[in-house]
Amino acid sequence: MNKRFSTLLAAALVAGGLSSTVMAAADTTPDKDKYYRLEDGSSNVLGVDALKTDSLVLATKTTSLDDRFFWTITKENTATATDVYKLVNKETKAVLSLAIPGKTTETGKTGNVAAALIKANGVLNQWVNSSAAAWGSAGKFTAYKDGKEYGLVTATLWGDKADIVSVAELDGSGAVVSGGDAATATLLQLKLVDDNSPVVMTTEDLNAKKNKKGFDLTFTPNSDDNIFTGKTLQALSVKATNTVTYTRDNANNGTTANLTIATTTTGDIAFDATDDANQMFFLATGKTVKNGAKQTVKYFAVVDTAYIAGTTQFAFTEDTIGISANGLSLVPAKGRDLASYMFSVSYNYSKGNVDIYPVAVPTAPGDDEYWGDVEKKGTYAANISSANDDLDVTTATDGYLAFINVLKDAKALTLGDKATVEALEAYKNMSITFGSSTAVKNLDTKVAYFVKEMDEDNKATDNYWVAGDAKSASASAYVPSTQWNLVSNGGTSYKLVNRESGKELTGANGTAYDVDAANGVYMIGSKTVTLVKCPEATGNYVGYKKFTASQVDNLTFAIQVQALSNDPVYLTTKDSAIVATVDADKKVMFRLKPNKEMKFGDAENDSLKRTSYMLLSADKKSYLAYDKALNSYKMTSVAWENANATDATKVLTTSETDTAFVYFQAVGKDKYSLVMEKIYTPIAKVTAGSGITIEGAYGTKFTIAQNTEAGVRTQSGLYDQKVSVNITDGAVSQTAYNNAAANTVFMIEDGTPDYDKTIQKPAHQTITLSTDNAMALTITSDNFAALKRVGQELKADYTIDNLKMYVDTATMADVNKPLYYIATGQNISDDCKAKGEMNYLVSFEDSVKIDGYTSETLPRVGFLEGVVEADTITLFNGHAIADKDTVVIKKNHRNIANWAFTANENGSISLENQKSNKFIAVRNDVLVMVPSINEAAQFNMAATEAPTANEGVAVSEVAVIAGEGQVTIANAAGKKVVISNILGQVVANTVLTSDNAAIAAPAGVVVVAVEGEAAIKAIVK
């Protein structure tokens, strides 16, 4: 590295508020092949959190020797004169890459500061050290993007712990750019710590190497019989309630002794993987066996009671250690001494080298002896006291040293006296490092996973991990609480986040190791799991029923309860209360009204959404509500409350207000739990600075913001209650969401009728009563709808043309439910006809308060004058009875002039109005609207020719008659005729050769100009 500050770097530092003059210090230029710690001015070092490895933290230097506090620092090749560096964490292999912090002006929060979370795509990934010429001195660490400077800071940020490191935008003078009520933010200044001396490891230190589960060793070169490689080792001390003693029977102060490890409390002795004091311990190899009592017994590394063949060098093997029947002491395998199982380990953090020191070796046989002739005592390393006292396991030994020796025909793991071994070329040319198990990168983070639980032997149990750190015997592509997102923290670090709750699986955040990748088995953080891809769990609406716009408009349905019997059970009403029944004829038919769609779960890494719904009666006159006092549900049309909140810190909840908002939460394919969204209405303006915090299932939270006005209903998107049915007595009540004993499974039974789709283009039809085909739909003189037969009236006989209706397609957007206009040219003036106006059949429900618009309190049916252009209808006031009507213009397809033809089982149809979803019925010879199809009139439709009297328009002696797809011109033989559309485009130009000529013309309004006559408008069907 160039140790001279460049002009550009000096300028950058001055601009940043620091002089280019640095403190005199020993130059510790980073070596890209070594690992370093970065220390602040308070003897803390920078690293990543033990569980949330995407978070930067500070920890005390003396106790922070885990790999997560070490970094490689590599100078980047850039086009700038300023030296920039890439930092890679030793444990996670993740580059120190951060996102640009967001901005805030909210009171009580630091502006332009965010928790420093490592992200694989973070743009702040090249760092400048203001003391780059002398890394041994503290200097600020900054990154630049788009001309702005960002630095690492400690800040009081949204209640984060003090050891959490943040990233902040700087103002050019080394200060944090303020925003809002800025909290304390202190710029970090860091220097290199070169840890080049071996450090003795404790049980806790070693197991922390692999997410507190153990550690792996790599030997270079290796030997085939090396028991330490290809497996995860675990360092274990011994613990008990009372003192554990390590007694040696060396009464003569000899170097050999039998070792007894015991305590005084029966059944109390056990192994401990978290001890932070002992420097002599056992090394479990991961292998286990069941003993005669069906207890799991571990195997441990041990110096073998035999030499390597053809040598006098010790070998290593693995064997069991049991616990005595009374639980007071450890029991070695037959023929072994406990001291031969014990080791010390040291680690050079900077170089990454490990040394293994056996505590004792088996006492070797003499020249004329065999191994079986020797008492099984341990011979201790020379630096261990031979005094007649207990073995001090809190002090490490380095007397014997393990290494890979090069023999005549092979390489072998053996040991020897430390001083002797260190002088051997075999030792000098070998290395032992942590991490032979593969830390994995590039796991698929674009699919959802089921996560199987694994036992301590890395064998799958019968359970899956689900939301809330709970376990389930099954998982489903329909249920996001059983699914997990695998989120990259960068490098080899990942975390598992539940799709339903958005919460992490406890312990599953950290480096991912290959346990059995072929079968999806990984250790992530401290948790070993099997990942099973669930590729079918795709889309934005996994887990909750999302009704289409067509279903919201048209669906009527019953709610069926899954029961043990074969008889279906339905929700019904009894005295307005919702209860369960097996009488299918009494089931309640519901309709839907959606609430606002909201995101849920792991919103940062997922796109799941859900919508809650009001459940309306089929006639939309009542809705589902919850009565807290009775713990029951009811159908009601009147707002009512049981709330007793008295101040601004309290709210009215869905369990206290009139309306129930229901999520159809999937529990399987087409099966649901009905859970209640928590909708809140503050009774007074929210004044608390922190707002009102709402809690839901799985520890989810929502805040009603400060200054929310009283009476403003707030949708939280959370739930913690569900609907439960007691099949025994039919009671329907509300219970806690996590009450598994009260689980009820619901199904939706579609009761939406079929619709007639025969008419695909405009046509004239007669609409007759199915029980009397002579009675047909028509218009009366006062523009009401009626059923008449030919010649029925004495004063004004109805002709066949009076009974012909023009049926036009309003919209075919929903192929299952096309909508139509029903119109007539009767009672329309010639001027209005020339404008394309007709009278359209409507429901007068908007006019029930006007005299004459109801019959027996039911809305009547009539006609309003209007015009259709491009499938948009405009209805007018000002003609006949419409003078009194409140309807002026309707330009959508949910209006009083749109009709669906509901198909009946006998082949007839009923006329359903799209605005109200009510049906035409006959009451005392008057056509009215009723809520149920069971009360509706039934009609037949038949195609007919266009009427003549109502459609013809006389022009002196020449007649122009508009028909279906044509214009007929009478009494104009020899005259020139020009027909144009309303845009002036000529569609026909001809000389007539007969007095009854039919000329093809497009549907709609056309202008007919006959030679010698005034031009007129006509409507072609």
Side-chain angles (χ1 to χ4, degrees):
M1 168 184 164
N2 187 347
K3 299 172 186 175
R4 178 177 55 85
F5 275 98
S6 70
T7 303
L8 180 60
L9 177 57
L13 294 174
V14 171
L18 293 177
S19 168
S20 59
T21 303
V22 297
M23 295 173 60
D27 178 33
T28 50
T29 303
D31 181 340
K32 63 180 180 61
D33 296 322
K34 294 176 66 174
Y35 298 101
Y36 297 94
R37 289 189 293 175
L38 296 169
E39 181 184 353
D40 69 359
S42 301
S43 296
N44 296 314
V45 290
L46 181 72
V48 297
D49 188 76
L51 294 178
K52 298 179 180 295
T53 56
D54 58 343
S55 298
L56 288 178
V57 296
L58 291 172
T60 305
K61 175 184 174 183
T62 55
T63 59
S64 302
L65 290 169
D66 298 341
D67 283 354
R68 59 192 177 97
F69 293 101
F70 286 80
W71 307 83
T72 59
I73 303 175
T74 307
K75 181 179 175 181
E76 293 282 86
N77 293 320
T78 64
T80 66
T82 304
D83 290 339
V84 296
Y85 295 85
K86 178 175 73 174
L87 278 69
V88 178
N89 188 264
K90 184 178 182 182
E91 178 175 301
T92 66
K93 308 298 189 294
V95 174
L96 180 57
S97 55
L98 311 177
I100 292 174
K103 299 182 183 298
T104 182
T105 57
E106 192 170 341
T107 301
K109 297 184 179 180
T110 302
N112 311 296
V113 179
L117 299 178
I118 296 175
K119 296 182 177 294
N121 59 350
V123 296
L124 303 179
N125 53 28
Q126 293 183 322
W127 298 87
V128 175
N129 178 11
S130 63
S131 291
W135 282 76
S137 299
K140 67 175 182 177
F141 265 60
T142 57
Y144 295 85
K145 182 65 178 176
D146 298 330
K148 295 181 179 179
E149 183 183 27
Y150 301 89
L152 297 179
V153 301
T154 55
T156 307
L157 179 68
W158 288 286
D160 282 338
K161 298 183 298 181
D163 60 348
I164 297 293
V165 176
S166 301
V167 61
E169 182 182 342
L170 307 182
D171 63 4
S173 64
V176 176
V177 174
S178 63
D181 182 13
T184 303
T186 304
L187 186 65
L188 272 181
Q189 298 204 35
L190 302 170
K191 66 179 180 179
L192 286 190
V193 178
D194 188 356
D195 299 275
N196 200 28
S197 299
V199 175
V200 174
M201 308 291 283
T202 66
T203 297
E204 183 181 53
D205 295 334
L206 284 168
N207 294 330
K209 292 297 178 184
K210 198 170 182 181
N211 305 335
K212 299 185 178 181
K213 284 283 191 174
F215 61 100
D216 305 309
L217 293 176
T218 298
F219 289 70
T220 307
N222 202 1
S223 63
D224 294 337
D225 61 349
N226 191 340
I227 65 162
F228 292 110
T229 58
K231 60 193 68 174
T232 295
L233 305 169
Q234 189 176 35
L236 295 173
S237 296
V238 183
K239 68 177 181 179
T241 302
N242 293 326
T243 302
V244 176
T245 57
Y246 297 79
T247 305
R248 296 185 295 171
D249 60 355
N250 57 340
N252 298 319
N253 296 331
T255 59
T256 63
N258 285 310
L259 177 65
T260 301
I261 302 176
T263 186
T264 58
T265 305
T266 301
D268 194 42
I269 200 164
F271 291 108
D272 178 20
T274 62
D275 174 57
D276 62 356
N278 290 358
Q279 296 180 354
M280 295 182 188
F281 34 72
F282 301 100
L283 297 178
T285 61
K287 181 179 177 181
T288 60
V289 67
K290 297 288 186 181
N291 63 15
K294 296 185 178 181
Q295 297 170 320
T296 299
V297 179
K298 296 178 181 293
Y299 276 77
F300 296 84
V302 62
V303 182
D304 203 1
T305 53
Y307 291 136
I308 298 172
T311 74
T312 56
Q313 295 183 7
F314 284 97
F316 291 88
T317 188
E318 54 187 336
D319 212 337
T320 59
I321 299 177
I323 295 177
S324 62
N326 59 11
L328 290 173
S329 60
L330 299 187
V331 180
K334 185 177 180 180
R336 302 194 188 279
D337 182 74
L338 286 173
S340 298
Y341 289 85
M342 301 192 75
F343 298 85
S344 293
V345 175
S346 71
Y347 182 45
N348 185 307
Y349 280 87
S350 180
K351 295 180 179 179
N353 288 342
V354 177
D355 280 320
I356 302 172
Y357 301 100
V359 171
V361 298
T363 302
D367 292 340
D368 298 323
E369 295 178 309
Y370 296 96
W371 281 100
D373 300 329
V374 182
E375 184 181 0
K376 299 305 180 287
K377 293 185 175 182
T379 300
Y380 289 86
N383 64 333
I384 295 177
S385 171
S386 61
N388 183 17
D389 55 18
D390 288 349
L391 179 65
D392 181 8
V393 296
T394 62
T395 302
T397 177
D398 61 358
Y400 297 126
L401 178 58
F403 72 108
I404 299 292
N405 199 7
V406 179
L407 304 177
K408 180 178 179 182
D409 298 318
K411 298 182 181 69
L413 177 64
T414 185
L415 60 88
D417 177 75
K418 177 185 177 184
T420 303
V421 170
E422 288 180 337
L424 298 175
E425 290 299 315
Y427 174 78
K428 295 177 180 179
N429 293 328
M430 67 155 287
S431 67
I432 306 174
T433 57
F434 286 117
S436 62
S437 287
T438 306
V440 291
K441 274 187 173 183
N442 303 320
L443 291 176
D444 190 350
T445 58
K446 296 182 179 180
V447 298
Y449 290 92
F450 301 134
V451 179
K452 287 185 176 180
E453 181 194 28
M454 307 294 286
D455 64 19
E456 62 179 10
D457 295 324
N458 291 337
K459 293 181 174 59
T461 69
D462 294 328
N463 293 320
Y464 293 85
W465 288 107
V466 297
D469 282 355
K471 301 172 188 177
S472 171
S474 61
S476 171
Y478 303 100
V479 184
S481 64
T482 68
Q483 302 163 17
W484 301 83
N485 289 326
L486 181 65
V487 180
S488 173
N489 297 324
T492 60
S493 180
Y494 296 86
K495 59 185 174 184
L496 286 167
V497 183
N498 189 263
R499 299 190 77 197
E500 172 73 38
S501 68
K503 305 292 184 181
E504 295 176 16
L505 178 61
T506 299
N509 185 333
T511 303
Y513 291 97
D514 177 352
V515 177
D516 182 5
N519 292 303
V521 185
Y522 300 92
M523 185 166 72
I524 302 173
S526 60
K527 195 176 290 293
T528 300
V529 296
T530 296
L531 301 180
V532 180
K533 287 186 178 182
C534 181
E536 65 269 32
T538 57
N540 295 336
Y541 301 104
V542 175
Y544 294 84
K545 180 69 174 175
K546 171 66 176 179
F547 294 93
T548 65
S550 174
Q551 288 174 319
V552 169
D553 287 343
N554 306 315
L555 179 66
T556 58
F557 61 95
I559 296 179
Q560 185 177 343
V561 182
Q562 181 172 290
L564 297 178
S565 65
N566 293 325
D567 296 327
V569 177
Y570 296 93
L571 295 188
T572 186
T573 56
K574 182 178 181 181
D575 299 328
S576 80
I578 294 292
V579 295
T581 181
V582 293
D583 188 345
D585 292 335
K586 294 183 179 179
K587 60 190 177 187
V588 175
M589 301 304 293
F590 293 99
R591 300 183 72 91
L592 298 162
K593 182 179 180 181
N595 234 331
K596 184 177 70 174
E597 182 176 277
M598 297 189 74
K599 289 185 176 182
F600 72 96
D602 183 15
E604 184 177 353
N605 305 292
D606 218 332
S607 58
L608 293 184
K609 304 173 184 177
R610 60 188 173 209
T611 302
S612 64
Y613 296 88
M614 287 179 62
L615 297 187
L616 310 176
S617 58
D619 62 3
K620 299 184 178 179
K621 285 188 174 181
S622 60
Y623 51 85
L624 184 70
Y626 176 68
D627 187 332
K628 182 178 180 181
L630 299 178
N631 188 22
S632 64
Y633 290 91
K634 65 191 302 183
M635 298 299 293
T636 180
S637 58
V638 180
W640 49 275
E641 294 178 350
N642 294 319
N644 57 3
T646 57
D647 59 59
T649 64
K650 296 181 180 179
V651 292
L652 308 182
T653 73
T654 45
S655 61
E656 296 171 322
T657 57
D658 49 355
T659 308
F661 295 90
V662 177
Y663 285 121
F664 290 82
Q665 184 186 59
V667 295
K669 181 175 174 57
D670 298 327
K671 296 182 178 181
Y672 306 93
S673 179
L674 300 184
V675 297
M676 313 309 296
E677 184 183 11
K678 296 166 78 70
I679 306 292
Y680 291 87
T681 306
I683 64 170
K685 183 176 180 179
V686 178
T687 57
S690 58
I692 301 175
T693 299
I694 308 302
E695 295 187 359
Y698 305 117
T700 50
K701 294 182 179 181
F702 177 87
T703 300
I704 300 179
Q706 182 186 22
N707 297 324
T708 300
E709 296 292 339
V712 175
R713 177 164 286 184
T714 302
Q715 187 177 348
S716 72
L718 307 182
Y719 58 85
D720 61 7
Q721 302 288 315
K722 64 185 176 184
V723 180
S724 177
V725 176
N726 186 323
I727 296 298
T728 303
D729 60 13
V732 179
S733 59
Q734 183 167 286
T735 187
Y737 176 76
N738 59 4
N739 183 0
N743 283 345
T744 302
V745 177
F746 298 91
M747 293 163 287
I748 296 171
E749 183 178 277
D750 190 344
T752 306
D754 291 329
Y755 294 91
D756 187 278
K757 312 171 187 67
T758 305
I759 299 177
Q760 296 291 311
K761 61 182 180 179
H764 281 89
Q765 303 278 335
T766 55
I767 303 175
T768 59
L769 200 61
S770 66
T771 55
D772 184 354
N773 273 330
M775 297 291 287
L777 179 69
T778 189
I779 186 172
T780 64
S781 59
D782 54 3
N783 278 19
F784 280 111
L787 293 173
K788 300 294 181 180
R789 67 179 74 242
V790 173
Q792 179 173 341
E793 300 290 336
L794 295 177
K795 294 182 178 180
D797 288 346
Y798 282 83
T799 68
I800 188 63
D801 280 349
N802 295 127
L803 308 183
K804 295 178 179 179
M805 294 288 111
Y806 180 66
V807 179
D808 191 3
T809 54
T811 175
M812 309 294 284
D814 187 344
V815 295
N816 294 313
K817 186 181 181 182
L819 300 178
Y820 300 92
Y821 302 123
I822 300 173
T824 179
Q826 300 174 76
N827 298 356
I828 298 292
S829 69
D830 289 345
D831 289 342
C832 290
K833 282 184 180 179
K835 298 175 184 178
E837 295 180 17
M838 300 184 75
N839 269 318
Y840 288 87
L841 184 70
V842 298
S843 163
F844 282 136
E845 288 183 76
D846 290 345
S847 310
V848 293
K849 295 182 179 179
I850 300 174
D851 291 342
Y853 277 65
T854 61
S855 176
E856 299 179 3
T857 71
L858 296 172
R860 294 188 65 181
V861 184
F863 289 85
L864 281 181
E865 197 166 325
V867 64
V868 171
E869 295 177 327
D871 281 341
T872 297
I873 189 170
T874 303
L875 301 175
F876 301 112
N877 283 330
H879 301 290
I881 200 167
D883 290 344
K884 301 177 182 179
D885 202 274
T886 58
V887 178
V888 180
I889 296 175
K890 297 290 180 184
K891 289 188 175 180
N892 58 53
H893 294 302
R894 289 189 57 79
N895 65 65
I896 59 174
N898 278 184
W899 300 88
F901 301 150
T902 306
N904 298 311
E905 291 182 358
N906 62 6
S908 66
I909 63 169
S910 295
L911 301 182
E912 178 186 346
N913 187 266
Q914 181 66 3
K915 174 70 180 297
S916 64
N917 297 116
K918 295 181 180 179
F919 301 85
I920 291 180
V922 182
R923 293 288 187 273
N924 295 322
D925 295 329
V926 177
L927 295 183
V928 294
M929 301 301 299
V930 295
S932 171
I933 193 172
N934 296 327
E935 307 173 71
Q938 296 185 351
F939 299 94
N940 294 323
M941 283 199 305
T944 185
E945 295 180 353
T948 54
N950 293 328
E951 301 298 332
V953 180
V955 183
S956 66
E957 295 181 356
V958 176
V960 177
I961 303 169
E964 291 190 24
Q966 65 181 24
V967 175
T968 301
I969 303 174
N971 305 319
K975 293 187 177 183
K976 181 180 179 181
V977 175
V978 177
I979 301 176
S980 306
N981 61 24
I982 59 174
L983 299 177
Q985 298 168 325
V986 175
V987 296
N989 186 343
T990 186
V991 176
L992 302 182
T993 58
S994 78
D995 280 332
N996 189 23
I999 302 174
V1005 178
V1006 295
V1007 179
V1008 181
V1010 180
E1011 181 181 349
E1013 306 290 341
I1016 65 167
K1017 292 181 180 179
I1019 303 173
V1020 178
K1021 305 303 182 186

